[in-house]
Amino acid sequence: MTFTFAPAKIADLSEIMTIERAGFTPAEAASDASMQQRIAQISDTFIVAKDDHGHVAGYIVGPASDSRYITDDLFATVTPNVTTAKYQTVLSLAVAPEAQGSGLGSQLLAHFATIAKAAQRRGLTLTCLKRLVPFYEKNGYTNEGQAESEHAGEVWYNMVKLF
């Protein structure tokens, strides 16, 4: 399967939300309004992957930040990316169930790293659940321990990839 990568557009919202709800619990998932705000405010770091038929097969999104670790306020409020921010965050990486196992998640991470390097960020930062730590480690991230995040009442781990 071949994918093309492009900034998210409001026309992609319905497919994005279908994938979001399939990949995250209701407490973890972003709302339609939040995703719409992310498209409007940070489309330069909200990337969708489309399949050969033009359907969204996955996406990755996050604002730039000066903090090495993600803070819970980033899930609630989105502001435009600051060009001097040190890190590129990943608030959400999700792949449609039918595209899972295709390597798309790793491709999205690699594409996002290219964007972050071009913006002269120091690295990428995200939080993930314990079961996903090996996936991110396979993609060059280092587990820097349990996060302070209380998002969705889950235990999260800080994962960082420096350039």
Side-chain angles (χ1 to χ4, degrees):
M1 202 177 305
T2 305
F3 302 100
T4 57
F5 302 95
K9 295 184 176 10
I10 202 66
D12 300 322
L13 184 61
S14 176
E15 289 180 296
I16 288 167
M17 291 311 300
T18 297
I19 296 167
E20 177 79 359
R21 290 184 186 108
F24 298 98
T25 68
E28 295 167 352
S31 67
D32 288 53
S34 177
M35 284 297 200
Q36 190 170 0
Q37 183 185 30
R38 291 174 188 175
I39 292 169
Q41 296 284 329
I42 57 170
S43 65
D44 54 329
T45 56
F46 192 151
I47 305 301
V48 294
K50 294 195 175 182
D51 64 20
D52 296 332
H53 304 289
H55 296 288
V56 177
Y59 64 87
I60 190 168
V61 60
S65 173
D66 276 325
S67 177
R68 186 179 181 98
Y69 302 126
I70 287 180
T71 53
D72 285 349
D73 63 306
L74 295 178
F75 292 103
T77 306
V78 177
T79 57
N81 289 322
V82 176
T83 57
T84 58
K86 296 174 187 154
Y87 297 95
Q88 177 59 56
T89 71
V90 178
L91 294 184
S92 192
L93 166 65
V95 174
E98 60 273 14
Q100 290 178 4
S102 67
L104 179 55
S106 294
Q107 290 176 50
L108 281 161
L109 287 170
H111 187 77
F112 221 45
T114 300
I115 291 169
K117 287 176 186 175
Q120 300 183 334
R121 308 282 183 235
R122 291 183 186 171
L124 291 154
T125 182
L126 59 91
T127 57
C128 72
L129 299 172
K130 187 172 186 170
R131 65 181 169 80
L132 294 171
V133 168
F135 167 76
Y136 289 106
E137 288 177 333
K138 181 185 89 175
N139 281 282
Y141 288 73
T142 301
N143 180 353
E144 295 193 354
Q146 189 171 324
E148 291 182 16
S149 175
E150 297 176 356
H151 181 66
E154 299 279 358
V155 175
W156 301 93
Y157 291 85
N158 289 313
M159 305 297 293
V160 178
K161 181 176 184 172
L162 298 176
F163 304 135

